[in-house]
Amino acid sequence: MASLAERMLPAPREGGFRMEGYWVWCGSVVQGEDGRYHMFASRWPKTLPMHPGWLVASEIVRAVSDTPEGPYAFEEVVLPGRGAEYWDGRSTHNPHIVKHDDHYLLYYMGSTHPLADQVPGDGFGLEDPRCIVARSNKRVGLAVAKSVYGPWRRFDQPILPVRPGHFDSYLTSNPAPCIHEDGSVLLVYKAREYEGNIHGGMTIGAAAAEHWQGPYHVISEEPIFPPAKFHIEDPFIWKTADGYELIAKDMEGTLCGEKHGGIHAVSSNGRDWRLAEEPQAYSRTVRWDDGNVQTMGNLERPFLLFQNGRATHLFAAVADGPGGFRHAENTWNMVIPLQA
């Protein structure tokens, strides 16, 4: 069977989703009850730096297209800020949309802080107390609706709180759910732990629930990838006849051979993982349908759209520039069709 990288077709230059005046990230797509394709994405104003502006001002929005390729047109804000007193009151980010039976399940990361709102030009950045507090308050949550148009019911508490003394004692984020036919869930997520008074490195954990409503419980007391060898983030998982497969961002390039390229891993049970025989899932270098080849400054947050049991499109959050968030002038969500 051809690998994901071998199945990638030229990306439509005018496809995907972008918004003037906003940083756009985290594209996740589902076919709605209307037959159209709905992208749930993150956005925050360009009056803030791309990184870490998302920590304090990101909101999840919905855009729509008649085809998976797009272009997607903005329709509404789905999960706006709702006040510092809520666990997700300041920022909603990392959306992952999935439909199970007659429910749309929107997994996401939320955060809050009790400090003053940021305003353009006030110097907000990584050392700002608002950034530091918001990072420490990152948690995985869930919102549910009977229609892709809402209304959305947010859970009152995160579904994955932090656990003192464990690898996820500092934060939980980047939810990657796999919903089984019976409604049970395997949920892979990113975590960090406290190391003194700062956060540790990125780790990947796994949780499970007998039903998507929860409760969710962590199924491995150690990260599912050894942190000394696997420096990855942005996982996406799916069920196969042999167990599970995963793609994720290779932070150093030591696993797939390309820094910030994509790895491919497999597991029989969701807790014991190994690299696939062909470990590179995708590259930051893409082919456009106008014939040009471009190495993107960033290409991450991978999401696969499955139709009739087969992956048909790869979505990714991308940035222009030479590489790194600080050098980007524009970000958007692109789509890469996959060969049948």
Side-chain angles (χ1 to χ4, degrees):
M1 181 181 296
S3 68
L4 185 64
E6 293 170 333
R7 294 177 57 203
M8 291 185 184
L9 299 171
R13 176 73 76 170
E14 301 303 319
F17 173 53
R18 64 183 73 206
M19 289 192 74
E20 189 71 27
Y22 288 92
W23 304 109
V24 173
W25 212 242
C26 301
S28 174
V29 175
V30 69
Q31 189 170 18
E33 65 266 28
D34 56 2
R36 300 194 298 169
Y37 294 87
H38 298 258
M39 179 184 288
F40 290 75
S42 303
R43 75 168 190 184
W44 58 103
K46 280 192 168 183
T47 53
L48 288 169
M50 190 272 176
H51 179 64
W54 59 275
L55 269 169
V56 294
S58 178
E59 57 186 4
I60 293 173
V61 301
R62 182 178 58 82
V64 68
S65 168
D66 290 332
T67 66
E69 293 81 8
Y72 287 78
F74 169 78
E75 286 214 336
E76 66 170 341
V77 177
V78 175
L79 298 182
R82 55 175 179 163
E85 67 272 26
Y86 293 94
W87 70 269
D88 61 350
R90 293 287 199 177
S91 175
T92 57
H93 198 64
N94 295 153
H96 185 121
I97 187 70
V98 62
K99 188 171 191 285
H100 178 73
D101 292 338
D102 60 347
H103 286 87
Y104 292 90
L105 310 177
L106 180 56
Y107 292 82
Y108 66 101
M109 179 225 82
S111 184
T112 190
H113 67 80
L115 306 173
D117 286 325
Q118 66 284 340
V119 296
D122 70 359
F124 177 79
L126 286 169
E127 301 304 318
D128 192 294
R130 293 167 293 188
C131 174
I132 295 170
V133 175
R135 187 188 298 277
S136 70
N137 282 328
K138 291 169 62 177
R139 305 288 185 270
V140 170
L142 177 61
V144 181
K146 286 290 191 75
S147 167
V148 75
Y149 295 97
W152 294 90
R153 176 177 64 87
R154 303 195 208 189
F155 282 31
D156 294 334
Q157 300 293 332
I159 61 172
L160 275 185
V162 294
R163 300 182 304 147
H166 295 79
F167 67 86
D168 48 9
S169 59
Y170 183 74
L171 62 80
T172 64
S173 67
N174 296 51
C178 179
I179 316 296
H180 305 121
E181 288 187 9
D182 64 359
S184 62
V185 184
L186 173 67
L187 180 63
V188 171
Y189 64 100
K190 185 176 87 172
R192 286 183 167 181
E193 66 179 334
Y194 273 111
E195 291 185 2
N197 62 350
I198 61 174
H199 59 74
M202 296 177 189
T203 55
I204 304 295
E210 293 184 1
H211 190 271
W212 55 258
Q213 296 183 80
Y216 290 76
H217 60 277
V218 178
I219 61 174
S220 176
E221 284 306 307
E222 298 295 330
I224 58 174
F225 292 94
K229 296 181 180 179
F230 282 75
H231 188 195
I232 62 176
E233 70 168 347
D234 295 348
F236 176 93
I237 65 170
W238 67 99
K239 189 77 175 70
T240 69
D242 299 320
Y244 300 90
E245 296 189 35
L246 171 148
I247 55 177
K249 176 185 175 185
D250 186 348
M251 298 298 290
E252 305 295 342
T254 56
L255 301 169
C256 74
E258 178 185 346
K259 184 175 182 177
H260 294 174
I263 71 156
H264 181 201
V266 296
S267 172
S268 62
N269 57 16
R271 36 173 114 213
D272 302 306
W273 292 84
R274 59 178 175 81
L275 285 176
E277 292 184 6
E278 296 186 41
Q280 184 164 25
Y282 58 85
S283 170
R284 286 193 297 123
T285 300
V286 300
R287 289 179 296 143
W288 296 103
D289 60 0
D290 59 12
N292 289 316
V293 175
Q294 180 180 3
T295 298
M296 309 305 297
N298 295 78
L299 189 150
E300 46 200 78
R301 298 293 301 149
F303 178 92
L304 290 172
L305 175 65
F306 281 81
Q307 299 185 95
N308 299 317
R310 187 168 176 81
T312 60
H313 297 79
L314 171 68
F315 293 84
V318 294
D320 57 13
F325 301 126
R326 293 174 181 81
H327 301 294
E329 294 185 3
N330 299 284
T331 66
W332 67 99
N333 286 314
M334 73 175 295
V335 53
I336 302 174
L338 302 176
Q339 195 171 42

